[in-house]
Amino acid sequence: MSDVHIIGAGIHPFGRHDDKSGLDQGVIAVREALADAGIEWKDIHFAFGGSSAAGNADAMLPRLGLTGVQFINVANGCATGGSALLSGYWAIKSGEFDLGVVLGFDKHPRGAFNPDPEAWGLPKWYGETGMMLTTQFFAMKIQRYMALHGITPMTLARVAEKAFENGVKAPHSWRKQPVDAETILNSQMVSDPLTKFMFCSPAEGGAALILASDKKMRELGLAGPRIRGAAVRTRVNGSFEVFSPSLEVKRGPSPTEIASKVAYEMAGVGPQDIDVAQIQDTESGAEIMHMAENGLCKDGEQEKLIADGATRVGGKLPINTDGGCLACGEPIGASGLRQVYENVQQLRGRGGARQVENPKVAYSQVYGAPGLSAVAILGA
Amino acid sequence: MTDPIAPNLIDPAGHQLIGGRHKQSDRIVFPFPSGPEAAEYEKLPLAGEGTLWSFTVQRFRPKSPPYAGADDERSFKPFALGYVELPGQIIVETRIKIDDFARLKIGMRMELAAIPFARATGDAPLTYAFRPAA
């Protein structure tokens, strides 16, 4: 059993890039991660990577070098990046390998996703009658949460305002314009109670991380944050998930709550130890609910925490310091690794204008269809 | 008589949704399963009344496919949808028949109301919806 460290991190800026394929953006991210670690592709023992809509990751092999490296394509929906990270983590932790890369990239058409019901094991009428939209799920989840826990629309707006404020300061973000809470609140209603500026958009981008065993890291004379805990969990009976024609009356925990508990336990830390967090903010409400599902606060406390600025850079619990999905957009295969990339930057003190003061433990959580969550905790 | 949009979804008169009860565990599901698992379930008529569990309004025309409505970007009319809790049974996702969206409130009483769904193919099969209880 070896400790696993992240010794290099690379990213291709998120957003819209008409001149580049998704794969191009993945290759660029990998090259940047290799350069960051000061190693070469031929040094790499393994790769895990994937995209949701931009092709096979191993198609980058001729461009990076046909070294015979074992390269495993990962396809796990919204947790593709998180699953690649977890696979790389296991490969090194098991003692089988010492140095590898995990990567994700994507490129989606504009507008909301249009899934095929049958590919999700759902009846055709569910999609035909207009009930199969991820936006509806998020709207209905936060609608109920607001009623139960006293969250107001202004708090939804403040989450998005903070995201754009952080996005301005992150070189890899897509949205570079601040937008004030009033404008967000009064923008076009998309799916009540969520307005246009409260939703992230499908986008493009790539992210890559170089993982190394403790021994290999020392041998190379490098340093980097340690992966203290990592877990992917799927839905259980009674959780409320995207694309659910029905729910059980007896309610149960979310996959995020389950993955979060496991990761904290592995890491030997608790929510009170987290200095900076990147959590899934598909829309404003998701960030609010995920704060509680990840144990970072109790249900309902978000209203005051957010009004007080606790989740801004400089607050007591900075969240989504690069603007999250709201400011970066969501290229599915790359999104989870972007969160980890941002945490690596924060822990290494490379956050520039968005740098959190001296963070020691960093948390990330990605959530996606059809009900899965991936958590990673980094630290010294 | 209009045909339901799918078999085993709603009775042809539009009075009841058809759920399934797992023969061994008594677990209730909706819609009634298709494929090999169907044999493990018996049909269970679901309650026609319940309470609103959550809701939203679909403000833009969903992408086609999968959306099959006869409307287009210009003629599309926003519609409400939500989850209705059928006491002691299951919480079903449903379109909601209501003109004034501002009336929607979690906890309000709802009743089943079958509606024709006009498809781009020209037909209008029966699908289910709920509306505020009279």
Side-chain angles (χ1 to χ4, degrees):
Chain A
M1 298 263 285
S2 168
D3 279 342
V4 183
H5 294 261
I6 301 174
I7 59 166
I11 201 159
H12 181 279
F14 282 28
R16 288 278 167 214
H17 310 285
D18 291 339
D19 56 333
K20 291 193 191 105
S21 70
L23 193 67
D24 289 339
Q25 298 174 53
V27 169
I28 291 166
V30 171
R31 288 192 175 131
E32 187 178 294
L34 291 167
D36 184 38
I39 59 171
E40 293 181 55
W41 176 249
K42 66 174 173 53
D43 302 324
I44 293 293
H45 300 164
F46 68 82
F48 290 95
S51 81
S52 162
N56 296 333
D58 71 349
M60 63 176 62
L61 273 174
R63 298 165 65 177
L64 292 169
L66 295 168
T67 58
V69 66
Q70 69 156 14
F71 196 125
I72 295 178
N73 288 327
V74 179
N76 203 12
C78 299
T80 293
S83 301
L85 177 66
L86 196 62
S87 305
Y89 169 76
W90 287 330
I92 291 176
K93 191 179 170 187
S94 70
E96 193 71 27
F97 296 100
D98 284 313
L99 189 61
V101 58
V102 297
L103 63 109
F105 57 90
D106 241 314
K107 187 177 180 94
H108 305 287
R110 286 171 165 77
F113 294 111
N114 56 327
D116 170 15
E118 285 174 344
W120 293 87
L122 290 164
K124 209 170 156 204
W125 61 261
Y126 187 61
E128 283 191 335
T129 56
M131 292 202 283
M132 195 174 176
L133 284 89
T134 54
T135 43
Q136 296 168 346
F137 159 74
F138 286 111
M140 290 191 278
K141 190 176 173 193
I142 189 64
Q143 183 88 267
R144 183 167 173 85
Y145 193 87
M146 289 167 80
L148 289 181
H149 301 292
I151 304 295
T152 59
M154 181 46 100
T155 300
L156 295 176
R158 286 196 175 112
V159 168
E161 180 184 54
K162 183 260 298 169
F164 298 127
E165 179 182 297
N166 291 348
V168 171
K169 299 171 187 161
H172 61 268
S173 77
W174 180 13
R175 312 287 186 194
K176 304 283 190 196
Q177 291 292 323
V179 186
D180 65 83
E182 284 298 326
T183 305
I184 292 163
L185 205 53
N186 295 318
S187 68
Q188 188 193 346
M189 189 63 83
V190 170
S191 199
D192 308 40
L194 300 166
T195 65
K196 182 179 149 189
F197 282 115
M198 294 177 188
F199 273 107
C200 84
S201 299
E204 307 171 20
L209 304 169
I210 310 293
L211 307 185
S213 65
D214 206 39
K215 181 171 138 259
K216 189 72 179 177
M217 182 175 75
R218 278 186 273 112
E219 203 179 292
L220 292 167
L222 296 172
R226 178 164 66 96
I227 302 176
R228 296 186 57 155
V232 176
R233 287 296 185 274
T234 57
R235 60 203 185 281
V236 297
N237 287 337
S239 64
F240 181 20
E241 304 304 331
V242 67
F243 304 152
S244 297
S246 67
L247 307 172
E248 295 192 25
V249 172
K250 185 167 180 256
R251 309 305 303 140
S254 74
T256 299
E257 288 172 286
I258 303 169
S260 175
K261 282 199 182 78
V262 172
Y264 280 128
E265 206 164 293
M266 286 170 82
V269 299
Q272 70 284 354
D273 300 309
I274 303 302
D275 299 313
V276 58
Q278 319 298 332
I279 59 180
Q280 181 76 25
D281 59 333
T282 318
E283 42 76 34
S284 291
E287 178 170 318
I288 292 167
M289 296 182 286
H290 286 147
M291 283 171 68
E293 290 181 34
N294 288 295
L296 300 171
C297 70
K298 291 198 173 68
D299 288 324
E301 287 179 353
Q302 300 96 327
E303 184 73 7
K304 183 167 191 311
L305 284 171
I306 290 167
D308 292 348
T311 59
R312 297 167 74 166
V313 173
K316 68 176 179 186
L317 179 61
I319 290 178
N320 293 333
T321 46
D322 65 351
C325 292
L326 288 170
C328 294
E330 191 181 25
I332 289 179
S335 205
L337 291 177
R338 175 200 38 86
Q339 296 177 325
V340 181
Y341 169 90
E342 173 64 7
N343 276 341
V344 170
Q345 302 308 302
Q346 289 288 343
L347 291 172
R348 293 172 130 189
R350 296 178 179 180
R354 66 187 193 285
Q355 179 65 46
V356 169
E357 201 185 326
N358 201 21
K360 301 282 184 238
V361 183
Y363 187 98
S364 60
Q365 171 251 337
V366 57
Y367 169 83
L372 49 81
S373 202
V375 173
I377 300 175
L378 308 185
Chain B
M1 178 67 68
T2 319
D3 284 332
I5 195 162
N8 294 335
L9 179 66
I10 184 168
D11 74 294
H15 298 317
Q16 274 172 333
L17 285 181
I18 302 167
R21 189 202 300 273
H22 193 260
K23 289 172 186 169
Q24 256 96 59
S25 69
D26 278 347
R27 187 171 165 238
I28 297 172
V29 296
F30 174 81
F32 189 81
S34 58
E37 290 79 26
E40 297 170 26
Y41 291 83
E42 60 188 14
K43 285 185 185 161
L44 175 75
L46 297 180
E49 285 200 27
T51 53
L52 189 60
W53 191 84
S54 193
F55 64 92
T56 187
V57 178
Q58 179 60 36
R59 300 271 175 184
F60 61 92
R61 188 182 187 277
K63 276 186 183 172
S64 298
Y67 181 63
D71 48 19
D72 58 24
E73 298 293 341
R74 276 170 51 198
S75 63
F76 173 78
K77 286 198 175 57
F79 62 88
L81 71 159
Y83 282 92
V84 172
E85 179 166 352
L86 307 175
Q89 289 188 324
I90 196 163
I91 303 167
V92 296
E93 187 175 10
T94 178
R95 289 174 74 113
I96 297 172
K97 207 173 148 185
I98 192 167
D99 292 325
D100 180 8
F101 300 138
R103 281 180 63 205
L104 291 166
K105 202 170 163 34
I106 288 171
M108 73 192 292
R109 288 182 54 243
M110 307 292 286
E111 63 184 19
L112 183 66
I115 50 168
F117 178 72
R119 287 197 288 207
T121 44
D123 59 351
L126 196 69
T127 192
Y128 67 97
F130 277 77
R131 66 180 170 211

